[in-house]
Structure formats: structure tokens, C-alpha cells
């Protein structure tokens, strides 16, 4: 396992795109973790409203006088938290079900029809509809993202398990007297972990975008500070586009979202290259 | 030791219009304790299916398998699991027979851990003992399968198989993916281990010379049926079935096979070998032949022999 990891890191190091992505992501994660120390003001504290950027408020203040820079910094926290929690839970559920569905053929066949149903529904519109009916809160958002996120992982993991299950070494281990649970945990799960990681990263970037969309549409939690919420209030402000306000009120939040998704996508691409079976021999 | 009676395995394709592929179509044979039975036939004739069915890695459609007095097909899952270590299988591709993410040592230690009863030190000792038995270096323990050659990996597989102290081993083309020089080493090692550990072997191969070298008796298969079974001498010196003759004669040509490959699905009754048989008669295409014993333990599936 340790050698695996080292070889893996060596492979990752060669990927420029992966390093750039990782750099951006680490920046955002650090900002999220140390938000209370970095942010100059409490994002809920109100000062003079709609100030242009000045030495007190680097990005000015919003319509009710909250410091926009502090909002952004705390918003990183909320956005990343939702993204990672829901993608981790979704990957966990998707991986477990994918393993079972791939290993037990009959169950898997019927189970995949359910997954097909999920996948056939356009995700974002339905999320919007459901979010509109639920009370907006972070945990409800996470629930929605998990609910719609796991089928992708389940499907990918299942197809990998289908091929792993028929490898001779699985038969060999079965002949040694191993049970299904043992084979799944010891011999199949470790071989799908790389795929799970890639899937988790991709899922996280989906969630960042979906969360921003929902908040932007006013379906997020109005009291928490997330990037989508900043955009939402900015958009609602009457003169946002006729004045210069959008430059420091909307643009930074939009860029944050863009760069987070970009970094996650870069990391996903780099990882995908590494776990691609054609290149696998070099990293194993 | 193992007794197989009328074993059948059909694979079906299609959902609405089911078609059956009769991979193994009524096969019977016995293997005595300490004996090696060679199973030969061209690819696709059902050799591997027999091997996997015997271990219930796939469920046979019909038939009876008695292993050491135990009826395998009526065992419950739990009992089967407990019995399984007594039967082992060696696969064609040694590299794929080992988990790529596990070190050699861990792969060999796995059966010992699964069986329980040994502590860490004892397992380690046993692993190094096994590694020595199959002629590997102790330093290989910390390597991964992809760092070893095919021949070395097959030795690892042998060590893992021996770790459970099996009575019966099915070797499914264990050397066909190896270099010729390595083949001989592995075959000799297997022969040596067989004597040392008093093993019973079913040796599956398409390579006649290899089977001749390894076996006490040989069964020749054609399209899901055993067409002739007898001692090595009987098969090589005194073959009765026309297919066996085609197989062992050096002049058996690929052309013959190609022509008749097209006719594969054309008929469903009569002798399986009818389309390719040089002595075929009208009756052969209608009436299915039965196994006849023409010498002690020498059976032939052909009506024309007697």
C-alpha cells in the first residue's frame, strides 16, 4: 500500500495540469479552514451599505452593509463543506451499492434498472424542483446532492467490479475457502479505490456548481454565506449592472466558483490519466 | 477419489429465443487417488468448463460429482466452502491468478490466515518454507506479481495451492502462457510436488506432448464429449477413435478443421464427430454412439470400433 502511494504520487507529480489544480484547491481549502483568521470582518456584521472598495472594505460592502470580502471568505467554507460532505457520502453509498450490484449478478441487473431511472432524469431541473419544496438549509442541500449523486458512482463501480469478479485470482481465493464478504473487501474493493477517488473529485465539482445554481435561484439557505448566495443578492440589487457594482460584488464570487470547479476538474483529469488501465502498469 | 457421472453444462444465450450451447454434454470419468488424468482437446471443446464445474465455480446443468465419497452438487454453500480448500485449481494465466495489489508473501499467507490456527510467526515460517519448496528466493516475498516473470508467478500460485494441503488439483493449461524453457521447469516441479505431497491431478491441456509427460491416463474430448479415455500407452500407441488418431498423427491438418468448423451448428443428432470423421456412415449421423469398453479401462465413444 505504501509503495503504491509513493508510486502514485510520483506519477501525479508529472502532471502539470494536476499540480495546478491541486494548488488552486489547496488555496481554497486553506482559506476555508482559516476563514475566521483571514476575514477582516464578521460577514454578518453590517456597516454602511453599498460602499465602493476602499481601504476599510477591500471589495466594498453589499446592500445591507456586509463586507463582501469577508462574505467571500466565509462562503468558501460553506461551498467546499457542502461539496465535500455530499460527494463523500454519495461516493460511499455509490461504491457500496456498486460493489454489491457488480458482485451479485441477479441483484445487480435489477438494481441497475433503478439506477438507469435515476440517470435518465435531468439532474439540475429536478434538484431545483425538489429544493423549492424543501425548507432551505445546508443539510437539505446535502441530502439532495447525495440523493442524486450516488447513481453515477454506483454505475461506474459496478462495471469495474464485473470485470474484476471474473479474474482468475478471485476464483483462486474462493477456492481457498474465502467467503463473498471477504473477497469483496480484500480483493475487489482495493482495486476500485482509484476509480472511487476520481469519481469523488468529479462529483465534488458537480456539487459546487449545483449549490451555486440553487443559491443563485434563491433556493439555498438565505442566512448562510455561500458564493451562490452572494450572487443571488447581488443580482437582485436594482442597479447592479448599470453601475460598477458588479465588478466587486458579483465578479469575485463568480471567479471563485469557476476556479474551484476548474481545479477539481484538473485534478480529476490528472487522476483519471493515472488510473487509466493503459497507463496503470507504470503506477502500480 | 473423484467420480464424475454424466456431467452436463449448457450455456444459454438470448432471452426470448433461447439457444443452448452444450459446452459439456454428458461426461463421465473417474480419477483414482494419486493418479493424474490428462484432459486433451482443441480449444472450445469444454475442457475448462469441466474443470470449473468440478469445483462448482460454475454450476453444472446436470450430473453427479462425487469427491471422496461426498456428493458435491448437493452440498450447502457453507459445507462447500469448508470443503473447497481440499480441491484447488491452477489457472492458465499466472499473472492474473494473483491479486496485483498484494505482495507475493501476502498472497501465499492468505490461505493460512483464512484457515486460521496459526500465529504470525508460524505463518511467516510456513510461507518461507513454501517459497523454498517451489524454488523461489526468500527475497521474493516482498515483491509484487508484476515484478516477477510468468514462470515465477506460477510457482507462487503453486505455493499458495500447497499452503492449504489439497488432495486434488485441477491444472488448467498451467504452462500454455509460459516460454517453452520455463514450461519444462514448471511441469517438472509439478511432477515432483505431486509425488512429494501425494496429490491427485486433473491436467487440462491442448498440448499432447505436455499431457503425455504429465499423465497416467488420458481423456480425449471433442465438442463437449469424452470420445476416448485410456492409459497413456493406449491413447498414443493404440488409439481407437478416429478423432484421437487425427490428434496424435503429426499430419493432422488445419485445413480439415477449418472446413468442418463451418458445419459446427449444422446438425444436432448422431455422433459429435460425424462431420469430420473419415469413416462416417449414414447411421453415425442419426444414432448417438455409446461408450464401449474395448480393453480394461479403455473406453471409446464410437459404434464402429466394435
Amino acid at each position: 500500500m505504501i509503495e503504491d502511494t509513493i508510486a502514485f504520487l510520483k506519477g501525479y507529480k508529472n502532471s502539470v495540469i494536476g499540480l495546478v489544480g491541486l494548488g488552486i484547491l489547496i488555496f481554497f481549502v486553506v482559506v476555508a479552514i482559516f476563514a475566521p483568521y483571514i476575514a477582516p470582518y464578521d460577514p454578518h456584521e453590517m456597516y454602511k451599505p453599498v460602499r465602493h472598495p476602499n481601504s476599510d472594505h477591500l471589495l466594498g460592502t453589499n446592500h445591507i452593509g456586509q463586507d463582501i470580502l469577508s462574505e467571500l471568505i466565509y462562503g468558501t467554507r460553506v461551498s467546499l463543506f457542502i461539496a465535500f460532505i455530499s460527494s463523500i457520502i454519495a461516493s460511499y453509498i455509490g461504491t457500496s451499492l456498486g460493489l454489491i450490484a457488480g458482485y451479485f449478478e441477479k441483484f445487480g441487473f435489477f438494481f441497475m434498472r433503478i439506477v438507469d431511472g435515476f440517470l435518465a432524469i435531468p439532474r439540475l431541473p429536478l434538484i431545483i424542483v425538489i429544493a423549492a419544496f424543501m425548507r432551505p438549509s445546508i443539510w437539505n442541500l446535502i441530502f439532495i446532492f447525495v440523493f442524486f449523486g450516488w447513481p453515477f458512482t454506483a454505475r461506474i463501480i459496478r462495471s469495474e467490479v464485473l470485470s474484476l469478479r471474473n479474474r482468475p485470482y478471485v476464483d483462486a481465493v474462493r477456492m481457498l475457502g474465502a467467503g463473498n464478504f471477504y473477497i469483496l473487501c480484500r480483493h475487489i474493493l482495493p482495486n476500485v479505490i482509484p476509480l472511487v477517488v476520481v469519481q469523488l473529485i468529479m462529483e465534488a465539482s458537480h456539487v459546487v456548481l449545483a449549490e451555486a445554481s440553487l443559491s443563485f435561484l434563491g433556493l439555498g439557505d438565505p442566512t448562510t454565506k455561500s458564493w451562490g448566495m452572494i450572487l443571488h443578492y447581488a443580482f437582485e440589487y436594482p442597479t447592479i449592472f448599470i453601475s460598477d457594482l458588479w465588478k466587486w460584488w458579483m465578479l469575485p464570487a463568480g471567479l471563485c466558483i469557476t476556479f474551484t470547479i476548474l481545479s477539481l476538474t484538473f485534478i480529476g483529469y490528472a487522476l483519471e490519466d493515472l488510473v487509466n488501465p493503459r497507463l496503470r502498469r507504470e503506477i502500480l | 477419489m473423484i467420480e464424475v457421472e454424466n456431467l452436463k453444462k449448457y450455456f444459454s444465450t438470448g432471452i426470448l429465443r433461447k439457444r443452448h450451447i452444450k459446452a459439456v454434454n454428458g461426461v463421465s470419468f473417474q480419477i483414482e487417488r494419486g493418479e493424474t488424468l490428462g484432459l486433451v482437446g482443441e480449444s472450445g471443446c469444454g475442457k475448462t468448463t469441466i474443470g470449473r464445474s468440478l469445483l462448482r465455480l460454475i454450476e453444472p446443468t446436470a450430473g453427479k460429482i462425487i469427491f471422496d465419497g461426498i456428493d458435491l452438487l448437493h452440498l450447502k454453500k457453507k459445507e462447500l466452502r469448508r470443503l473447497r480448500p481440499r480441491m484447488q485449481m491452477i489457472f492458465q494465466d499466472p499473472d492474473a491468478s494473483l491479486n496485483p495489489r498484494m505482495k507475493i508473501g501476502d498472497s501465499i499467507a492468505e490461505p493460512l490466515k483464512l484457515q486460521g490456527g496459526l500465529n504470525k510467526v508460524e505463518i511467516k515460517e510456513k510461507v518461507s518454507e513454501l517459497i523454498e519448496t517451489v524454488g523461489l528466493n526468500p527475497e521474493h516475498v516482498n515483491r509484487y506479481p508484476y515484478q516477477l516473470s510468468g514462470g515465477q508467478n506460477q510457482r507462487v500460485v503453486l505455493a499458495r495451492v500447497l499452503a492449504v494441503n489439497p488432495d486434488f488439483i485441477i491444472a488448467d493449461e498451467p504452462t500454455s502462457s509460459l516460454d517453452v524453457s520455463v514450461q519444462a521447469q514448471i511441469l517438472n516441479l509439478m511432477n515432483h510436488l505431486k509425488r512429494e505431497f501425494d496429490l491427485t491431478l486433473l491436467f487440462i491441456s491442448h498440448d499432447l506432448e505436455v499431457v503425455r509427460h504429465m499423465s497416467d491416463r488420458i481423456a480425449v474430448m471433442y465438442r463437449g464429449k469424452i470420445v476416448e479415455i485410456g492409459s497413456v500407452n493406449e491413447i498414443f500407441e493404440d488409439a481407437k477413435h478416429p478423432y484421437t488418431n487425427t490428434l496424435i498423427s503429426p499430419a493432422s491438418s488445419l485445413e480439415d478443421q477449418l472446413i468442418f468448423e463451418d458445419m459446427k451448428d449444422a446438425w444436432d443428432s448422431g455422433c459429435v464427430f460425424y462431420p469430420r470423421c473419415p469413416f462416417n456412415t449414414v447411421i453415425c449421423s442419426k444414432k448417438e454412439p455409446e461408450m464401449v469398453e474395448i480393453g480394461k479401462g479403455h473406453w471409446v465413444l464410437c459404434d464402429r470400433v466394435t
Side-chain angles (χ1 to χ4, degrees), chain A residues 4 171 175 182 187 191 284, chain B residues 52 88 96 99 101 110 146:
Chain A
D4 269 14
D171 277 338
M175 288 314 298
Y182 178 89
H187 291 276
N191 285 301
L284 266 175
Chain B
R52 291 170 61 89
Q88 289 297 309
N99 187 339
R101 284 177 187 276
E110 190 168 33
Y146 71 94

Side-chain angles (χ1 to χ4, degrees), chain B residues 75-105:
Chain B
L75 274 187
K76 292 203 188 79
K77 282 226 164 80
K78 239 187 187 159
E79 297 165 321
L80 180 70
R81 217 176 113 188
R82 213 171 309 132
L83 185 74
R84 262 182 171 157
R86 294 184 55 194
M87 308 175 286
Q88 289 297 309
M89 187 153 184
I90 298 168
F91 297 92
Q92 182 168 357
D93 182 357
D95 301 347
S97 305
L98 298 164
N99 187 339
R101 284 177 187 276
M102 271 169 88
K103 285 181 191 161
I104 298 308

